mmCIF file of all heavy atoms in Angstrom:
data_model
loop_
_atom_site.group_PDB
_atom_site.id
_atom_site.type_symbol
_atom_site.label_atom_id
_atom_site.label_comp_id
_atom_site.label_asym_id
_atom_site.label_seq_id
_atom_site.Cartn_x
_atom_site.Cartn_y
_atom_site.Cartn_z
ATOM 1 N N ALA A 25 -0.895 -17.127 -9.167
ATOM 2 C CA ALA A 25 -1.305 -18.101 -10.146
ATOM 3 C C ALA A 25 0.034 -18.710 -10.860
ATOM 4 O O ALA A 25 -0.152 -19.456 -11.857
ATOM 5 C CB ALA A 25 -2.057 -17.364 -11.239
ATOM 6 N N GLU A 26 1.125 -18.429 -10.287
ATOM 7 C CA GLU A 26 2.403 -18.928 -10.798
ATOM 8 C C GLU A 26 2.666 -18.516 -12.230
ATOM 9 O O GLU A 26 3.146 -19.317 -13.038
ATOM 10 C CB GLU A 26 2.577 -20.458 -10.633
ATOM 11 C CG GLU A 26 2.512 -20.887 -9.148
ATOM 12 C CD GLU A 26 3.146 -22.240 -8.885
ATOM 13 O OE1 GLU A 26 3.461 -22.988 -9.895
ATOM 14 O OE2 GLU A 26 3.424 -22.549 -7.706
ATOM 15 N N ASP A 27 2.385 -17.269 -12.422
ATOM 16 C CA ASP A 27 2.701 -16.621 -13.786
ATOM 17 C C ASP A 27 3.907 -15.710 -13.610
ATOM 18 O O ASP A 27 3.994 -14.855 -12.721
ATOM 19 C CB ASP A 27 1.455 -15.769 -14.122
ATOM 20 C CG ASP A 27 1.546 -15.057 -15.559
ATOM 21 O OD1 ASP A 27 2.661 -15.061 -16.061
ATOM 22 O OD2 ASP A 27 0.528 -14.619 -16.009
ATOM 23 N N THR A 28 4.936 -15.884 -14.411
ATOM 24 C CA THR A 28 6.145 -15.193 -14.273
ATOM 25 C C THR A 28 6.083 -13.885 -14.993
ATOM 26 O O THR A 28 7.086 -13.063 -15.016
ATOM 27 C CB THR A 28 7.366 -16.016 -14.896
ATOM 28 O OG1 THR A 28 7.097 -16.184 -16.295
ATOM 29 C CG2 THR A 28 7.522 -17.254 -14.151
ATOM 30 N N THR A 29 4.959 -13.470 -15.644
ATOM 31 C CA THR A 29 4.857 -12.285 -16.447
ATOM 32 C C THR A 29 5.294 -11.021 -15.657
ATOM 33 O O THR A 29 6.051 -10.205 -16.266
ATOM 34 C CB THR A 29 3.433 -12.119 -16.953
ATOM 35 O OG1 THR A 29 3.151 -13.219 -17.737
ATOM 36 C CG2 THR A 29 3.285 -10.853 -17.800
ATOM 37 N N PRO A 30 5.008 -10.845 -14.413
ATOM 38 C CA PRO A 30 5.277 -9.561 -13.739
ATOM 39 C C PRO A 30 6.919 -9.379 -13.679
ATOM 40 O O PRO A 30 7.358 -8.218 -13.811
ATOM 41 C CB PRO A 30 4.728 -9.704 -12.424
ATOM 42 C CG PRO A 30 3.563 -10.649 -12.556
ATOM 43 C CD PRO A 30 3.972 -11.585 -13.570
ATOM 44 N N TYR A 31 7.564 -10.487 -13.483
ATOM 45 C CA TYR A 31 9.035 -10.399 -13.463
ATOM 46 C C TYR A 31 9.638 -9.916 -14.717
ATOM 47 O O TYR A 31 10.529 -9.216 -14.846
ATOM 48 C CB TYR A 31 9.589 -11.695 -12.945
ATOM 49 C CG TYR A 31 9.250 -12.086 -11.588
ATOM 50 C CD1 TYR A 31 8.368 -13.189 -11.336
ATOM 51 C CD2 TYR A 31 9.847 -11.445 -10.547
ATOM 52 C CE1 TYR A 31 8.041 -13.531 -10.064
ATOM 53 C CE2 TYR A 31 9.476 -11.817 -9.134
ATOM 54 C CZ TYR A 31 8.638 -12.886 -9.016
ATOM 55 O OH TYR A 31 8.299 -13.248 -7.649
ATOM 56 N N ALA A 32 9.023 -10.448 -15.831
ATOM 57 C CA ALA A 32 9.504 -10.145 -17.184
ATOM 58 C C ALA A 32 9.117 -8.725 -17.589
ATOM 59 O O ALA A 32 9.895 -7.993 -18.227
ATOM 60 C CB ALA A 32 8.977 -11.127 -18.200
ATOM 61 N N LYS A 33 7.849 -8.323 -17.250
ATOM 62 C CA LYS A 33 7.375 -6.999 -17.644
ATOM 63 C C LYS A 33 7.912 -5.812 -16.772
ATOM 64 O O LYS A 33 7.648 -4.718 -17.128
ATOM 65 C CB LYS A 33 5.811 -7.048 -17.585
ATOM 66 C CG LYS A 33 5.236 -7.696 -18.723
ATOM 67 C CD LYS A 33 3.683 -7.492 -18.648
ATOM 68 C CE LYS A 33 3.187 -7.426 -20.002
ATOM 69 N NZ LYS A 33 1.640 -7.200 -19.955
ATOM 70 N N ALA A 34 8.453 -6.167 -15.643
ATOM 71 C CA ALA A 34 8.893 -5.105 -14.690
ATOM 72 C C ALA A 34 9.756 -4.104 -15.414
ATOM 73 O O ALA A 34 10.818 -4.514 -15.979
ATOM 74 C CB ALA A 34 9.572 -5.664 -13.440
ATOM 75 N N ILE A 35 9.513 -2.813 -15.338
ATOM 76 C CA ILE A 35 10.333 -1.782 -15.886
ATOM 77 C C ILE A 35 11.443 -1.379 -14.925
ATOM 78 O O ILE A 35 11.244 -1.565 -13.670
ATOM 79 C CB ILE A 35 9.522 -0.575 -16.414
ATOM 80 C CG1 ILE A 35 8.833 0.134 -15.201
ATOM 81 C CG2 ILE A 35 8.526 -0.977 -17.456
ATOM 82 C CD1 ILE A 35 8.216 1.491 -15.521
ATOM 83 N N PRO A 36 12.539 -0.898 -15.477
ATOM 84 C CA PRO A 36 13.612 -0.471 -14.578
ATOM 85 C C PRO A 36 13.176 0.698 -13.662
ATOM 86 O O PRO A 36 12.409 1.546 -14.167
ATOM 87 C CB PRO A 36 14.706 -0.014 -15.515
ATOM 88 C CG PRO A 36 14.417 -0.761 -16.796
ATOM 89 C CD PRO A 36 12.885 -0.833 -16.834
ATOM 90 N N LEU A 37 13.591 0.811 -12.476
ATOM 91 C CA LEU A 37 13.303 1.816 -11.563
ATOM 92 C C LEU A 37 14.303 2.977 -11.487
ATOM 93 O O LEU A 37 14.120 3.960 -10.892
ATOM 94 C CB LEU A 37 13.212 1.363 -10.104
ATOM 95 C CG LEU A 37 11.854 0.626 -9.828
ATOM 96 C CD1 LEU A 37 11.980 -0.151 -8.526
ATOM 97 C CD2 LEU A 37 10.792 1.566 -9.786
ATOM 98 N N LEU A 38 15.385 2.799 -12.346
ATOM 99 C CA LEU A 38 16.366 3.870 -12.551
ATOM 100 C C LEU A 38 17.001 3.757 -13.871
ATOM 101 O O LEU A 38 16.781 2.823 -14.667
ATOM 102 C CB LEU A 38 17.454 3.892 -11.379
ATOM 103 C CG LEU A 38 18.138 2.599 -10.970
ATOM 104 C CD1 LEU A 38 19.564 2.793 -10.662
ATOM 105 C CD2 LEU A 38 17.407 2.138 -9.734
ATOM 106 N N HIS A 39 17.706 4.721 -14.276
ATOM 107 C CA HIS A 39 18.333 4.813 -15.624
ATOM 108 C C HIS A 39 19.484 3.790 -15.604
ATOM 109 O O HIS A 39 20.549 3.978 -15.070
ATOM 110 C CB HIS A 39 18.880 6.238 -15.874
ATOM 111 C CG HIS A 39 19.311 6.406 -17.299
ATOM 112 N ND1 HIS A 39 20.581 6.294 -17.708
ATOM 113 C CD2 HIS A 39 18.540 6.697 -18.376
ATOM 114 C CE1 HIS A 39 20.638 6.554 -19.011
ATOM 115 N NE2 HIS A 39 19.401 6.796 -19.395
ATOM 116 N N LEU A 40 19.204 2.654 -16.202
ATOM 117 C CA LEU A 40 20.148 1.407 -16.064
ATOM 118 C C LEU A 40 21.415 1.647 -16.822
ATOM 119 O O LEU A 40 22.445 1.096 -16.470
ATOM 120 C CB LEU A 40 19.411 0.213 -16.447
ATOM 121 C CG LEU A 40 18.325 -0.195 -15.417
ATOM 122 C CD1 LEU A 40 17.768 -1.579 -15.866
ATOM 123 C CD2 LEU A 40 18.847 -0.267 -14.006
ATOM 124 N N SER A 41 21.449 2.382 -17.870
ATOM 125 C CA SER A 41 22.759 2.556 -18.612
ATOM 126 C C SER A 41 23.695 3.395 -17.729
ATOM 127 O O SER A 41 24.877 3.100 -17.717
ATOM 128 C CB SER A 41 22.564 3.164 -20.009
ATOM 129 O OG SER A 41 21.986 4.478 -19.837
ATOM 130 N N SER A 42 23.163 4.339 -16.957
ATOM 131 C CA SER A 42 23.986 5.159 -16.063
ATOM 132 C C SER A 42 24.438 4.186 -14.925
ATOM 133 O O SER A 42 25.608 4.342 -14.450
ATOM 134 C CB SER A 42 23.222 6.354 -15.450
ATOM 135 O OG SER A 42 22.915 7.165 -16.556
ATOM 136 N N LEU A 43 23.541 3.402 -14.401
ATOM 137 C CA LEU A 43 23.909 2.458 -13.376
ATOM 138 C C LEU A 43 24.937 1.444 -13.792
ATOM 139 O O LEU A 43 25.937 1.283 -13.143
ATOM 140 C CB LEU A 43 22.645 1.623 -12.861
ATOM 141 C CG LEU A 43 22.953 0.637 -11.764
ATOM 142 C CD1 LEU A 43 23.374 1.264 -10.450
ATOM 143 C CD2 LEU A 43 21.671 -0.237 -11.499
ATOM 144 N N ALA A 44 24.829 0.989 -14.966
ATOM 145 C CA ALA A 44 25.820 0.000 -15.543
ATOM 146 C C ALA A 44 27.158 0.680 -15.652
ATOM 147 O O ALA A 44 28.142 0.097 -15.282
ATOM 148 C CB ALA A 44 25.404 -0.453 -16.883
ATOM 149 N N ARG A 45 27.286 1.894 -16.212
ATOM 150 C CA ARG A 45 28.579 2.637 -16.332
ATOM 151 C C ARG A 45 29.192 2.724 -14.958
ATOM 152 O O ARG A 45 30.376 2.472 -14.785
ATOM 153 C CB ARG A 45 28.354 3.985 -16.974
ATOM 154 C CG ARG A 45 28.234 3.904 -18.503
ATOM 155 C CD ARG A 45 28.292 5.262 -19.169
ATOM 156 N NE ARG A 45 27.359 6.131 -18.719
ATOM 157 C CZ ARG A 45 26.132 6.243 -19.220
ATOM 158 N NH1 ARG A 45 25.712 5.362 -20.165
ATOM 159 N NH2 ARG A 45 25.265 7.162 -18.812
ATOM 160 N N LYS A 46 28.377 3.143 -13.959
ATOM 161 C CA LYS A 46 28.948 3.344 -12.591
ATOM 162 C C LYS A 46 29.417 2.021 -11.944
ATOM 163 O O LYS A 46 30.390 1.943 -11.408
ATOM 164 C CB LYS A 46 27.928 4.070 -11.676
ATOM 165 C CG LYS A 46 28.420 4.321 -10.303
ATOM 166 C CD LYS A 46 29.629 5.319 -10.441
ATOM 167 C CE LYS A 46 30.162 5.604 -9.088
ATOM 168 N NZ LYS A 46 31.467 6.362 -9.129
ATOM 169 N N LEU A 47 28.567 0.960 -12.144
ATOM 170 C CA LEU A 47 28.965 -0.358 -11.541
ATOM 171 C C LEU A 47 30.253 -0.872 -12.316
ATOM 172 O O LEU A 47 31.087 -1.391 -11.565
ATOM 173 C CB LEU A 47 27.747 -1.300 -11.715
ATOM 174 C CG LEU A 47 26.584 -1.076 -10.855
ATOM 175 C CD1 LEU A 47 25.500 -2.069 -11.156
ATOM 176 C CD2 LEU A 47 26.867 -0.978 -9.427
ATOM 177 N N ASN A 48 30.338 -0.707 -13.530
ATOM 178 C CA ASN A 48 31.560 -1.139 -14.252
ATOM 179 C C ASN A 48 32.706 -0.406 -13.800
ATOM 180 O O ASN A 48 33.845 -1.024 -13.631
ATOM 181 C CB ASN A 48 31.339 -1.143 -15.728
ATOM 182 C CG ASN A 48 30.340 -2.148 -16.262
ATOM 183 O OD1 ASN A 48 30.289 -3.268 -15.665
ATOM 184 N ND2 ASN A 48 29.544 -1.800 -17.237
ATOM 185 N N ALA A 49 32.672 0.888 -13.519
ATOM 186 C CA ALA A 49 33.732 1.606 -12.992
ATOM 187 C C ALA A 49 34.109 1.103 -11.659
ATOM 188 O O ALA A 49 35.291 1.008 -11.273
ATOM 189 C CB ALA A 49 33.423 3.129 -12.937
ATOM 190 N N LEU A 50 33.098 0.898 -10.737
ATOM 191 C CA LEU A 50 33.429 0.444 -9.459
ATOM 192 C C LEU A 50 34.086 -0.972 -9.449
ATOM 193 O O LEU A 50 35.007 -1.207 -8.734
ATOM 194 C CB LEU A 50 32.103 0.402 -8.615
ATOM 195 C CG LEU A 50 31.595 1.780 -8.170
ATOM 196 C CD1 LEU A 50 30.157 1.656 -7.656
ATOM 197 C CD2 LEU A 50 32.422 2.370 -7.020
ATOM 198 N N GLN A 51 33.655 -1.823 -10.401
ATOM 199 C CA GLN A 51 34.175 -3.127 -10.503
ATOM 200 C C GLN A 51 35.649 -3.081 -10.943
ATOM 201 O O GLN A 51 36.469 -3.763 -10.446
ATOM 202 C CB GLN A 51 33.344 -3.970 -11.411
ATOM 203 C CG GLN A 51 33.625 -5.443 -11.396
ATOM 204 C CD GLN A 51 32.710 -6.219 -12.179
ATOM 205 O OE1 GLN A 51 32.380 -5.816 -13.385
ATOM 206 N NE2 GLN A 51 32.200 -7.335 -11.676
ATOM 207 N N ARG A 52 35.877 -2.130 -11.954
ATOM 208 C CA ARG A 52 37.245 -1.949 -12.326
ATOM 209 C C ARG A 52 38.168 -1.450 -11.156
ATOM 210 O O ARG A 52 39.432 -1.630 -11.202
ATOM 211 C CB ARG A 52 37.370 -0.918 -13.439
ATOM 212 C CG ARG A 52 36.895 -1.412 -14.754
ATOM 213 C CD ARG A 52 37.226 -0.452 -15.943
ATOM 214 N NE ARG A 52 36.590 0.780 -15.855
ATOM 215 C CZ ARG A 52 35.425 1.023 -16.193
ATOM 216 N NH1 ARG A 52 34.675 0.139 -16.757
ATOM 217 N NH2 ARG A 52 34.932 2.308 -16.062
ATOM 218 N N ASN A 53 37.593 -0.810 -10.163
ATOM 219 C CA ASN A 53 38.287 -0.238 -9.013
ATOM 220 C C ASN A 53 38.325 -1.277 -7.919
ATOM 221 O O ASN A 53 38.768 -0.870 -6.769
ATOM 222 C CB ASN A 53 37.688 1.069 -8.595
ATOM 223 C CG ASN A 53 38.147 2.182 -9.530
ATOM 224 O OD1 ASN A 53 39.221 2.301 -9.971
ATOM 225 N ND2 ASN A 53 37.188 3.057 -9.741
ATOM 226 N N GLY A 54 37.900 -2.495 -8.166
ATOM 227 C CA GLY A 54 38.121 -3.546 -7.106
ATOM 228 C C GLY A 54 36.891 -4.037 -6.380
ATOM 229 O O GLY A 54 36.968 -4.971 -5.605
ATOM 230 N N TYR A 55 35.762 -3.459 -6.534
ATOM 231 C CA TYR A 55 34.497 -3.843 -5.977
ATOM 232 C C TYR A 55 33.910 -5.023 -6.667
ATOM 233 O O TYR A 55 34.037 -5.132 -7.880
ATOM 234 C CB TYR A 55 33.438 -2.700 -5.951
ATOM 235 C CG TYR A 55 33.839 -1.599 -4.958
ATOM 236 C CD1 TYR A 55 34.598 -0.497 -5.442
ATOM 237 C CD2 TYR A 55 33.383 -1.524 -3.636
ATOM 238 C CE1 TYR A 55 34.942 0.506 -4.603
ATOM 239 C CE2 TYR A 55 33.671 -0.488 -2.829
ATOM 240 C CZ TYR A 55 34.421 0.494 -3.324
ATOM 241 O OH TYR A 55 34.798 1.643 -2.439
ATOM 242 N N ASP A 56 33.334 -5.936 -5.838
ATOM 243 C CA ASP A 56 32.445 -7.022 -6.439
ATOM 244 C C ASP A 56 31.099 -6.532 -6.540
ATOM 245 O O ASP A 56 30.608 -5.656 -5.739
ATOM 246 C CB ASP A 56 32.532 -8.295 -5.509
ATOM 247 C CG ASP A 56 33.871 -9.020 -5.654
ATOM 248 O OD1 ASP A 56 34.656 -8.769 -6.677
ATOM 249 O OD2 ASP A 56 34.274 -9.714 -4.683
ATOM 250 N N LEU A 57 30.308 -7.075 -7.468
ATOM 251 C CA LEU A 57 28.911 -6.740 -7.715
ATOM 252 C C LEU A 57 28.024 -7.929 -7.505
ATOM 253 O O LEU A 57 28.394 -9.080 -8.169
ATOM 254 C CB LEU A 57 28.730 -6.149 -9.140
ATOM 255 C CG LEU A 57 29.710 -4.956 -9.416
ATOM 256 C CD1 LEU A 57 29.410 -4.541 -10.918
ATOM 257 C CD2 LEU A 57 29.420 -3.794 -8.475
ATOM 258 N N ALA A 58 26.944 -7.820 -6.901
ATOM 259 C CA ALA A 58 26.084 -8.932 -6.665
ATOM 260 C C ALA A 58 24.633 -8.630 -6.661
ATOM 261 O O ALA A 58 24.254 -7.441 -6.370
ATOM 262 C CB ALA A 58 26.473 -9.659 -5.368
ATOM 263 N N ILE A 59 23.821 -9.567 -7.003
ATOM 264 C CA ILE A 59 22.402 -9.544 -6.838
ATOM 265 C C ILE A 59 21.973 -10.535 -5.723
ATOM 266 O O ILE A 59 22.451 -11.701 -5.698
ATOM 267 C CB ILE A 59 21.597 -9.940 -8.178
ATOM 268 C CG1 ILE A 59 21.995 -8.977 -9.306
ATOM 269 C CG2 ILE A 59 20.165 -10.167 -7.986
ATOM 270 C CD1 ILE A 59 21.188 -7.676 -9.173
ATOM 271 N N ILE A 60 21.155 -10.134 -4.830
ATOM 272 C CA ILE A 60 20.475 -10.974 -3.832
ATOM 273 C C ILE A 60 19.018 -10.787 -4.035
ATOM 274 O O ILE A 60 18.485 -9.674 -3.576
ATOM 275 C CB ILE A 60 20.942 -10.752 -2.394
ATOM 276 C CG1 ILE A 60 22.412 -10.723 -2.247
ATOM 277 C CG2 ILE A 60 20.255 -11.796 -1.469
ATOM 278 C CD1 ILE A 60 22.878 -10.262 -0.892
ATOM 279 N N SER A 61 18.200 -11.661 -4.518
ATOM 280 C CA SER A 61 16.847 -11.470 -4.859
ATOM 281 C C SER A 61 16.039 -12.710 -4.323
ATOM 282 O O SER A 61 16.519 -13.778 -4.423
ATOM 283 C CB SER A 61 16.624 -11.302 -6.295
ATOM 284 O OG SER A 61 15.236 -10.955 -6.666
ATOM 285 N N TRP A 62 14.863 -12.432 -3.860
ATOM 286 C CA TRP A 62 13.960 -13.486 -3.377
ATOM 287 C C TRP A 62 13.088 -13.983 -4.439
ATOM 288 O O TRP A 62 12.670 -13.258 -5.391
ATOM 289 C CB TRP A 62 13.095 -12.993 -2.224
ATOM 290 C CG TRP A 62 13.725 -12.774 -0.968
ATOM 291 C CD1 TRP A 62 14.939 -13.339 -0.475
ATOM 292 C CD2 TRP A 62 13.208 -12.032 0.155
ATOM 293 N NE1 TRP A 62 15.170 -12.905 0.766
ATOM 294 C CE2 TRP A 62 14.137 -12.181 1.235
ATOM 295 C CE3 TRP A 62 12.122 -11.280 0.371
ATOM 296 C CZ2 TRP A 62 13.910 -11.535 2.373
ATOM 297 C CZ3 TRP A 62 11.929 -10.649 1.624
ATOM 298 C CH2 TRP A 62 12.837 -10.794 2.648
ATOM 299 N N LEU A 63 12.617 -15.175 -4.368
ATOM 300 C CA LEU A 63 11.661 -15.755 -5.178
ATOM 301 C C LEU A 63 10.296 -15.402 -4.568
ATOM 302 O O LEU A 63 10.223 -14.621 -3.562
ATOM 303 C CB LEU A 63 11.684 -17.316 -5.199
ATOM 304 C CG LEU A 63 12.956 -17.944 -5.913
ATOM 305 C CD1 LEU A 63 13.127 -19.392 -5.402
ATOM 306 C CD2 LEU A 63 12.819 -17.780 -7.341
#
C-alpha cells in the first residue's frame, strides 16, 4: 500500500549502543562503515 510505517516502526535486532561503540572503535582503527539496503 506504499506505507512507510514498517520501516519507521522496525525495532532494532541487536543492542545498538553496543554495536555503535564497536563500529566507532573499528572506524577509529581504519575501517570504513557502510549501509547497503534495498527499497
